[in-house]
Amino acid sequence: KKTEDARHQELIRWSVQEVRRIAVKLAQRQIEPACIIAWSCWRRAHQAAAKRAHLTTKLQL
């Protein structure tokens, strides 16, 4: 099951909008920086999984 674990670790690349979102949240200083970065990593992993699922479905057609 190593391949499944490796797939879950993949992230999409940083986008300009993602960097901007993080910079704004860090500047506001209302949320701990570790929480902001963890949320961003979760979000990018979730987007990568969605992209993989979309491509898998598209390739099966």
Side-chain angles (χ1 to χ4, degrees):
K1 304 288 178 177
K2 243 183 185 180
T3 56
E4 288 180 21
D5 292 338
R7 263 192 250 157
H8 291 219
Q9 298 295 328
E10 293 176 12
L11 303 174
I12 62 167
R13 288 189 252 178
W14 291 98
S15 66
V16 173
Q17 185 60 36
E18 184 71 15
V19 173
R20 185 178 295 146
R21 183 181 291 116
I22 290 171
V24 167
K25 292 291 183 186
L26 289 172
Q28 290 174 348
R29 296 180 184 218
Q30 294 176 349
I31 302 172
E32 290 291 323
C35 292
I36 295 168
I37 300 302
W39 175 80
S40 177
C41 289
W42 174 86
R43 184 175 185 275
R44 291 171 47 229
H46 183 73
Q47 289 175 336
K51 182 178 180 180
R52 250 189 333 276
H54 176 73
L55 291 176
T56 302
T57 303
K58 191 174 183 179
L59 291 174
Q60 289 178 355
L61 294 177

